Each structure stands twice: as C-alpha cells, then as structure tokens.
Amino acid sequence: MGATLLGTSCVKDELFKTSHPAQGAVKITVDWSKRSSESRLPGEYTLRIIGQGEVNVTESATVYPSLFEPGKYELLAFNSPSGFEIKGNTATVLTLASGTMLPVPGYLFSGQQQLYVQKDDTLQVTVGMRQLVRQLTFVLKLEPGEENRLKKLEATLEGIIPSVNLLSGETEAVTGGRLNMIFEPTDPPTDDKGKIMYATTLRILGGMPFERQLLTVQMTLNDSYKDRVVTDLSDIMKNFAASREPLVLEADLGLPISLGVSGSINDWKPGLPEGNGEVSAE
C-alpha cells in the first residue's frame, strides 16, 4: 500500500509547473536595441510592477522575485540616470542654482508592458526600452580672423520639456524650461572651408508642445560690447522626437560690424561638426 501511495504522489507533483501552483511567475527581458549609437547602456535599471513593488536589476533578463495572483498587471522598466529626479512615474531634469535646467543630463530610458499572469505558469515578456533623451549640438561658424574679436559666446534655449511621464513618454510639465550654454572652440578648430567653429552640446527631452523654442545667442567682444541674436527653432524642434540619433544644427555667425549694427545668424541647418564642443553651465 505504501508503494502505491508514493507512486500516486509523484504523478500529482508532475502536474504542476511551479512550486506555488496557485500563483504565477514573470520572467522579464529588456530590449535596448533602439537606443542611439552614442548612448551608453545603464549599469542598473528598475523593474516596477505597478502597485506591487519594484526591484533593481543589472542583467538584461531576470525573473521577478515575487509571485503573483492570476490577473492583469502593468510593468514599468526605467533607469535612474544622473541629472534626473524620479518621483513615482515622473522623471524631471534637475534645476541649477540659476533656476535653469541642467544642460547635459544622463540618458533616460523607459519601457511599459501589460502582464497577464496565469496560475502555475511563468509568463515570459520582452520590454522594448525607449530612449527619452536626445543629444543636440549647435555649431556656429565665423570667417577666419573674426575669432580674434570674440571674447565669449553664450546662449539660452527656452521652451524645453523639463519632465516626462515614464509610462507614456509624454511631457508632464505645464510650462517649458530654460537652459544656458557656453560655446567653446571645436577640435579641430575649422571646417573644410576654413571657417572657425564654436560648438555646444545638450541632452534634452524635446520641445515643449504649444511653446516656441527660442535660441538667444549673446556675443561679447573683446572691447566688452555685447550683442544678442534670437532665433526661433520651433519648426526644427517640432519633430525632435522622431529620431533619437544625435542632431547637429549649424549656422554662420556674423559679429557686429559697429555700434548699432547688430550681428547675425544665418538659417540653422543640419550638419556634422568636425569637432566636439565642451559644454559649460552657469
């Protein structure tokens, strides 16, 4: 009789796929394949089952440490890069003492997935991670010799998204933010036509909907004379999120000729800088 009961128990155990047959497990794989070519994979990211808790992981595939009652759940995967504050499902670019946004935060990624957990089974899902930050470089070009008149080249960009919802990828801000930049000489210092190049590089979430993206460039000459040129980049920025590859915008810069004669910036156009300008923030 003992042998008979033992055999029956073995057959019963084999009917279950997990150690807790009334619940289900979830194995999650994150897909980073759509990130931009220059971005770096985060060393750690967070998996959050909405309303059920979260866990920080380092591997691309992991079994969530908790089991779940059968039902529908929502998964959020995201990283916590430098330069961002994350509260709940909202990521916000940090603000400097000047009140402007940090111009070069880290690369922010998030992914969302609906989970349908069944009892006594392991659900396997792949979450595609979307890159929420894009690199933007401005390049200004001077005629040879004009650089000798220039002391400092600064700029302000306004109408920029300061915060984003990690689930939807949409802005959570009511009004746009502003950031400051300083243009620096590139390396090499000239383009293929011998023009002197100055550049500054940002990482931003995009342009704020229903606001204009205004770039104000301030030129300070060696004699301390200052001049400003304002450019409306709204048309260029409206499709900013269509790609996550780095965007480069370049234009020719004309310094003021004399007192009362303002400098100028020709139309911005896509280009490839031949050097990388360093960014400095106030």
Side-chain angles (χ1 to χ4, degrees):
M1 181 180 296
T4 302
L5 289 175
L6 180 60
T8 303
S9 177
C10 290
V11 172
K12 182 178 180 181
D13 288 344
E14 291 175 356
L15 295 177
F16 299 118
K17 299 177 183 178
T18 67
S19 58
H20 298 274
Q23 298 175 310
V26 180
K27 182 178 181 180
I28 303 163
T29 301
V30 290
D31 178 10
W32 305 95
S33 62
K34 292 187 178 180
R35 67 186 180 92
S36 61
S37 56
E38 90 296 345
S39 64
R40 295 181 179 180
L41 287 177
E44 182 180 83
Y45 63 97
T46 301
L47 297 175
R48 177 188 295 164
I49 308 293
I50 307 300
Q52 301 294 316
E54 63 182 39
V55 58
N56 295 328
V57 296
T58 58
E59 304 296 327
S60 60
T62 186
V63 176
Y64 203 83
S66 302
L67 295 175
F68 301 92
E69 296 296 326
K72 179 181 176 181
Y73 300 88
E74 187 170 26
L75 167 68
L76 172 64
F78 62 94
N79 68 317
S80 301
S82 61
F84 279 94
E85 179 184 37
I86 296 178
K87 289 185 177 181
N89 297 331
T90 302
T92 303
V93 180
L94 295 182
T95 301
L96 301 173
S98 61
T100 60
M101 296 166 52
L102 186 72
V104 191
Y107 285 96
L108 177 67
F109 299 90
S110 74
Q112 179 268 348
Q113 184 78 34
Q114 296 293 325
L115 307 178
Y116 299 90
V117 178
Q118 299 182 15
K119 66 179 182 179
D120 193 32
D121 198 5
T122 298
L123 174 66
Q124 301 194 38
V125 296
T126 298
V127 182
M129 301 296 284
R130 57 176 176 257
Q131 182 177 316
L132 299 173
V133 169
R134 187 180 184 188
Q135 182 170 292
L136 173 61
T137 298
F138 293 108
V139 180
L140 286 172
K141 300 183 178 184
L142 286 171
E143 292 296 331
E146 285 290 271
E147 74 278 8
N148 297 324
R149 301 176 54 209
L150 184 65
K151 182 178 181 180
K152 184 183 290 186
L153 194 58
E154 305 167 276
T156 298
L157 181 62
E158 56 187 282
I160 301 303
I161 296 175
S163 61
V164 65
N165 185 292
L166 295 172
L167 281 168
S168 66
E170 301 296 328
T171 179
E172 291 231 322
V174 178
T175 58
R178 179 172 58 90
L179 49 85
N180 295 337
M181 315 159 260
I182 295 180
F183 283 80
E184 300 286 358
T186 62
D187 182 19
T190 62
D191 64 6
D192 56 359
K193 296 181 180 179
K195 291 186 177 181
I196 310 300
M197 297 194 298
Y198 290 80
T200 187
T201 296
L202 316 169
R203 292 189 197 130
I204 61 176
L205 294 167
M208 190 73 183
F210 309 112
E211 289 189 20
R212 292 191 300 167
Q213 284 71 58
L214 299 179
L215 178 69
T216 301
V217 176
Q218 178 171 286
M219 299 160 271
T220 302
L221 304 186
N222 288 330
D223 60 3
S224 297
Y225 179 74
K226 295 183 179 181
D227 188 28
R228 290 186 177 185
V229 178
V230 180
T231 306
D232 191 337
L233 301 178
S234 303
D235 286 342
I236 296 176
M237 296 291 294
K238 66 182 179 181
N239 294 319
F240 187 77
S243 170
R244 285 309 178 191
E245 287 300 318
L247 174 63
V248 178
L249 296 176
E250 62 180 30
D252 290 331
L253 173 65
L255 300 182
I257 300 175
S258 61
L259 185 64
V261 181
S262 180
S264 63
I265 295 178
N266 293 340
D267 293 337
W268 290 95
K269 60 183 179 181
L272 294 174
E274 299 186 30
N276 296 317
E278 296 293 331
V279 171
S280 177
E282 294 182 354

